[in-house]
Amino acid sequence: MLLLGPAQSLHTRRWAAALAGRGHRVVLAGWAPAEPLAGVDLRVPPGAPGAGRSSLGAVRRLLATGWWLRREVRQVRPDVVHVHSVGRAGLLALALPRVPVRVVTPWGSELRAATRSRLRRWVTRLTLHRADLVVPTSRSVTEEITRRYRVPAARTATLSWGVDDTLLASLGTVDPAAVRRRHGIPEQATVLLSMRGVAPVYRPDDVLSAYGHVRGERPDLHLVVLAGHVPGEASAAREHAAGLARVREMADTSSGRLTLVDRTLSPAETFALMRASDVALSVPRGDQRSSAVLEAALAGCRLLLSDLPPYRELLADGLVAEVLPEPLATTLAGRLRTVQGLPAVDRATNRAFIETHELWSRQVSAMEHWYRRLSSTSR
């Protein structure tokens, strides 16, 4: 099995590790260096990233990576190629030689980007139509795939990524007070966690604006911003650095009431910080059924979400959360003036929802079922 996606992404690595742990031979092909992953054959092109500053250099690098990927796939001869995202991975997937089974998981942020770019729409459409199976993580995105991109419904399956079972097992082992001390967060603060990173799609400037408007009224409110991983692409890395700079600038004027976590946390560390938080924010411009949102629900946070169809779908399915209409910075500021942690009864409801519907082990088993079914029909 070959996974094609950003090798430094926690999502991609999570799938690779889970499948390797179940006895599959897994090759993870990316385009930028990443830390080794136990049991996974991690492959990146020689000299990555090295894309160069000019547009011509970037195009040459992309073409070279495409030829490298073709050679790797012919050498590995995978039964299944699973393409994670329809952005860079989707573009590279167009260079793939014929393989027995091709699965594509489109990411919500990439689908949103495709609505604003003719080239991205073309890449997305071609990537999706070449797939034997398209696997969005929410029903609303599956509907978008069939409606906007005319992918037959029979070649789609909705599969949430869920929550890692180990996080459920760790619920009783996290000491929130110790986690707060470790990050320099006051013990009595009302902790607001911006958990999705500082990339523009996650709207960090709206979060900072809302917090800036209410911090004088809410001396108890302490904002924690997770930086997320540094992207491999040069332009995205520059945007990430600019986002970090703006958070640091506000932190300098916040009298110790804004904490920036500027390193990539492990899933266990992120979950521990969720357990130490009262409120968690996920306000991207586009998304699917987010694992981060589900993890924060399991951790017991009150969830404040942007008004997106996949998030409304979660509420309809039984998750206790709030959606914030546009304009986001204004409505978020209004909500932050009074927001507190989630009552115990709602925390129990969200935990039961995760345990019943969203455990990671069940989702991996479902994906394995699809791999086997597709592989048997391709012979």
Side-chain angles (χ1 to χ4, degrees), residues 240-305:
H240 183 270
L244 286 180
R246 289 192 290 273
V247 177
R248 289 194 178 101
E249 183 179 358
M250 177 168 276
D252 290 341
T253 64
S254 293
S255 304
R257 292 169 49 208
L258 194 162
T259 298
L260 170 63
V261 182
D262 59 1
R263 65 182 180 88
T264 302
L265 300 180
S266 70
E269 290 173 318
T270 301
F271 186 70
L273 195 46
M274 290 173 173
R275 287 283 289 152
S277 300
D278 300 290
V279 182
L281 297 177
S282 181
V283 289
R285 298 184 186 278
D287 205 359
Q288 295 200 64
R289 203 173 183 99
S290 164
S291 291
V293 169
L294 297 170
E295 289 164 4
L298 177 63
C301 296
R302 180 183 293 278
L303 294 168
L304 301 183
L305 312 174

Side-chain angles (χ1 to χ4, degrees), residues 191-202:
V191 179
L192 172 68
L193 178 64
S194 182
M195 59 184 175
R196 302 299 298 278
V198 296
V201 69
Y202 299 124

Side-chain angles (χ1 to χ4, degrees), residues 5 20 110 122-123 131 159 161 164 170 201 223 243 248-249 252 264 309 368:
E110 300 290 356
W122 178 80
V123 170
L159 182 65
W161 290 356
D164 195 323
S170 73
V201 69
L223 175 62
R248 289 194 178 101
E249 183 179 358
D252 290 341
T264 302
E368 285 184 301

